[in-house]
Amino acid sequence: MIALLSGQLAHRAPDHIIVDVGGVGYQLHIPLSTFYRLPETGPVRLQVYTNVREDAITLFGFFTAAEKDLFSLLISVSGVGPKLGITILSHIAPAELALALSQGDVTRLIAIPGIGKKSAERLVLELQDKAGTYAISTSINAPAAAIDTSDSYHQDALSALVNLGYKESLARQALKNLKSAPGTPLEQILKAALQILLK
């Protein structure tokens, strides 16, 4: 089972990356919390959760062990699969998630796409005690350095939002309402769009 990968970042997208390890490319699905911390190119070292099914082996990458541990906690809950686990971590900072779970803040949890009231209550019921003793450094939320590219990032942002569970029409409207200047970093575009969609 793969638990850690170190190599060169060969491809970087909001929902997945490819890490070149000795000439072999490993695709890892990632939450936005990890995406924001990654360099545009260069060496990376990621914590990895290996999900094994009969028909596939899927890798999930995390910038910190805290993210990986929270992901493992989330998918231990009945009805929460890896895709939803990634979605949750993409819409709420790990430290904030641990706080919401420990305080039983169902209202905050149901603001996350894909989480209804019953799912939120189940998460609190099963993880409240574990989250209450869970120590996560607030530095995990530090933003990555801005990246300079072209307006093609609007298309990347649209793809990321759709992969996070938003309808394409709503995602397009949110991006249209941003009126961001050419060359705006992808991180800023995504954060601003999410703020609009979560209202």
Side-chain angles (χ1 to χ4, degrees), residues 10-197:
H11 176 74
R12 177 179 183 270
D15 61 340
H16 74 280
I17 59 172
I18 296 176
V19 180
D20 185 333
V21 182
V24 179
Y26 292 86
Q27 178 171 300
L28 295 89
H29 299 277
I30 59 172
L32 288 176
S33 56
T34 287
F35 173 76
Y36 293 147
R37 302 290 300 277
L38 293 173
E40 192 170 352
T41 59
V44 292
R45 178 183 174 91
L46 293 167
Q47 301 288 326
V48 178
Y49 180 91
T50 303
N51 186 53
V52 180
R53 299 189 313 182
E54 291 183 2
D55 58 342
I57 297 177
T58 308
L59 303 179
F60 297 87
F62 306 92
F63 196 83
T64 67
E67 289 173 299
K68 178 182 175 181
D69 291 345
L70 258 183
F71 176 77
S72 297
L73 278 180
L74 288 169
I75 64 175
S76 71
V77 176
S78 176
V80 180
K83 184 176 180 180
L84 181 54
I86 288 292
T87 297
I88 293 172
L89 288 175
S90 291
H91 286 86
I92 183 172
E96 186 181 356
L97 173 60
L99 183 64
L101 290 170
S102 65
Q103 294 182 344
D105 190 349
V106 173
T107 300
R108 178 64 186 91
L109 295 173
I110 62 177
I112 301 170
I115 299 295
K117 185 177 181 180
K118 289 185 178 179
S119 296
E121 291 174 342
R122 186 165 58 247
L123 284 167
V124 169
L125 178 65
E126 297 191 28
L127 301 181
Q128 187 169 24
D129 291 340
K130 295 178 182 178
T133 58
Y134 202 76
I136 301 176
S137 170
T138 55
S139 64
I140 194 174
N141 302 315
I147 44 181
D148 55 346
T149 57
S150 65
D151 287 333
S152 64
Y153 270 165
H154 279 84
Q155 189 61 39
D156 291 339
L158 174 63
S159 176
L161 292 170
V162 171
N163 287 336
L164 288 172
Y166 291 104
K167 292 183 179 180
E168 183 174 344
S169 58
L170 293 176
R172 284 186 181 279
Q173 187 61 45
L175 291 171
K176 182 179 179 181
N177 291 341
L178 289 181
K179 300 178 181 178
S180 55
T184 300
L186 177 55
E187 289 89 342
Q188 291 184 18
I189 295 174
L190 283 172
K191 287 180 180 179
L194 286 170
Q195 287 178 352
I196 292 174
L197 290 166

